[in-house]
Amino acid sequence: MTTTTSHTPESEGTADGPARSARLIQNEATTEIPVHLLFRDDPDPSPVPLRPAVVSRRQGTGEQPRLRRPAAERPCPVPEADPDLAERPARVLPGAVGVLAGMCGAAGCLATSWWAGVLPPLAVEALRLPEYAGAGLGPLQWTAYAAAGALGLFGLGGLARGRTGRAWVLDLFGRYRGTVRRTGLLWVNPLLLRRRVDVRLRHWRSEPMAAADASGVPLRVVVLVVWRVRDTARATLGVEDHEAYLRECVEAALLRVPVEMPGGARGAADAAGEALTRLVAADSAPVGLEVFSVQPARVEYAPEIAPAMHRRRIAALDAQHRASVLGSVVDSVEDTVTRLTTRGLVELDDYERKALVKDLTVAFCAGRGEQGP
């Protein structure tokens, strides 16, 4: 802090004695402050520890700038997976158990009908049952009917067929009860809610998404994603729609990773694919998705700037072609003049050499123009 201390002349004495000299502090941004007002009038003041202080600089005051500590860069927060929600195998039984329970329920219904005497005579003869007059449909018969029917429905209703590459997520009143990855005929508790999940390796080709290159030019990118469901519980219950969540992760990654147009720097496409794969895999892991590859399949300019960028690209190619043609013409002219002078066919001074070079350059350029690129 730049300050200028000025001493005013001592005032003339008064009746009480000589006046006290006023010591002042003054700078370009503040008014005059008496120095003695900054301290206490203690006869023996206790020492005050001094610490280095840096003040902020105001515009036009000439003061030193404030030294600010750079803010620590915080990484983007990644959602944490629910530790209680993890895939575990569900308790299921072989399908033969459900078939046996269904057969027992059907046999119980037939036996109850024969007991009540309501079984048709043809069925009695076919089943070779003894003739029985029947006790009629009473409370006991209805109870037997209900028990046999419930057993049959419970056994046959729980039959399910497991397929390779498919899984069931079981849910009972909103509580996760396990995942079934087994194949073949199985019996699953019919009271459980079943959610079918595809756990095969899948390829997803996105629609054109917004992106940008290293210079900030807007692009439209079609991305090919190779992924699969690793944890069925988190993919089904941890997020509303895991496919929509994966699409949002890809869009967010495209906004953070620059993508180059085809024909750009060598290795730029591979670097962009690796960065996209790393970001999308990290963002989708908490919901049970495993991402193997995220690669740009098609890159093009955004519709609003596509005509201008195409004209710019054509102009750059034309300039490159002209530069290559001019370089080849200059080489041809130099080679021709060198051969003529080296072999002693002509003797040229500086003026004649310049004229010959000019004529040869015009001739070669005209010939290249007629031949085309």
Side-chain angles (χ1 to χ4, degrees):
M1 179 175 180
T2 305
T3 60
T4 57
T5 304
S6 60
H7 298 273
T8 60
E10 297 183 357
S11 60
E12 296 181 357
T14 59
D16 297 334
R20 185 177 181 180
S21 61
R23 300 175 60 191
L24 301 178
I25 295 179
Q26 181 180 5
N27 59 20
E28 299 176 3
T30 61
T31 59
E32 297 180 353
I33 304 175
V35 177
H36 69 276
L37 295 180
L38 302 178
F39 303 94
R40 295 178 298 180
D41 294 334
D42 294 342
D44 188 12
S46 58
V48 180
L50 299 178
R51 296 181 180 178
V54 181
V55 298
S56 60
R57 178 178 182 178
R58 296 184 180 180
Q59 186 175 3
T61 61
E63 299 178 0
Q64 296 297 328
R66 180 187 295 272
L67 300 178
R68 299 182 181 274
R69 183 174 299 175
E73 296 182 358
R74 298 181 180 178
C76 297
V78 178
E80 297 182 357
D82 187 359
D84 298 332
L85 188 61
E87 180 179 332
R88 61 178 182 271
R91 297 179 180 179
V92 295
L93 298 176
V97 175
V99 175
L100 181 61
M103 294 177 62
C104 291
C109 291
L110 290 175
T112 303
S113 300
W114 176 78
W115 179 27
V118 295
L119 193 65
L122 295 178
V124 173
E125 293 179 1
L127 296 175
R128 296 181 182 181
L129 297 175
E131 296 182 359
Y132 179 68
L137 293 175
L140 295 178
Q141 286 76 17
W142 286 113
T143 303
Y145 269 127
L151 179 62
L153 292 177
F154 200 75
L156 297 178
L159 292 177
R161 183 179 61 175
R163 297 181 179 181
T164 303
R166 304 293 177 89
W168 282 308
V169 176
L170 305 183
D171 181 10
L172 179 61
F173 304 118
R175 184 179 179 183
Y176 174 62
R177 305 299 297 178
T179 300
V180 179
R181 287 182 178 261
R182 296 172 57 180
T183 59
L185 187 62
L186 306 171
W187 183 85
V188 183
N189 187 351
L191 299 179
L192 299 177
L193 178 63
R194 308 174 191 176
R195 303 172 186 264
R196 185 179 293 274
V197 182
D198 191 347
V199 295
R200 296 173 296 180
L201 188 66
R202 303 169 65 180
H203 293 72
W204 173 60
R205 187 182 183 90
S206 69
E207 64 279 2
M209 296 182 177
D213 60 4
S215 302
V217 177
L219 304 174
R220 289 294 182 270
V221 181
V222 176
V223 180
L224 182 63
V225 184
V226 182
W227 66 286
R228 71 176 179 182
V229 175
R230 179 177 52 84
D231 193 314
T232 56
R234 293 176 180 173
T236 306
L237 304 177
V239 67
E240 183 177 359
D241 187 353
H242 60 270
E243 295 184 2
Y245 183 86
L246 178 63
R247 181 170 59 252
E248 298 295 335
C249 290
V250 173
E251 291 183 1
L254 283 174
L255 296 178
R256 290 183 286 174
V257 176
V259 181
E260 297 295 334
M261 289 289 294
R266 181 176 297 179
D270 296 339
E274 293 178 0
L276 289 173
T277 303
R278 184 173 60 257
L279 290 176
V280 175
D283 293 341
S284 58
V287 296
L289 303 182
E290 187 175 6
V291 178
F292 298 95
S293 175
V294 181
Q295 296 294 333
R298 188 181 66 194
V299 183
E300 58 187 11
Y301 291 110
E304 60 271 14
I305 65 166
M309 296 306 297
H310 284 305
R311 290 194 298 269
R312 179 180 177 183
R313 194 170 186 180
I314 292 175
L317 292 176
D318 186 49
Q320 184 179 2
H321 173 68
R322 289 177 182 273
S324 63
V325 170
L326 182 59
S328 61
V329 167
V330 171
D331 293 340
S332 301
V333 171
E334 181 182 5
D335 183 62
T336 302
V337 174
T338 303
R339 288 186 178 184
L340 290 175
T341 56
T342 302
R343 296 180 181 181
L345 299 178
V346 293
E347 294 181 359
L348 303 174
D349 55 9
D350 293 341
Y351 178 79
E352 293 176 346
R353 180 185 294 273
K354 292 180 181 179
L356 180 60
V357 168
K358 180 179 179 181
D359 295 339
L360 290 176
T361 302
V362 173
F364 286 158
C365 288
R368 291 295 179 91
E370 294 176 358
Q371 294 178 3

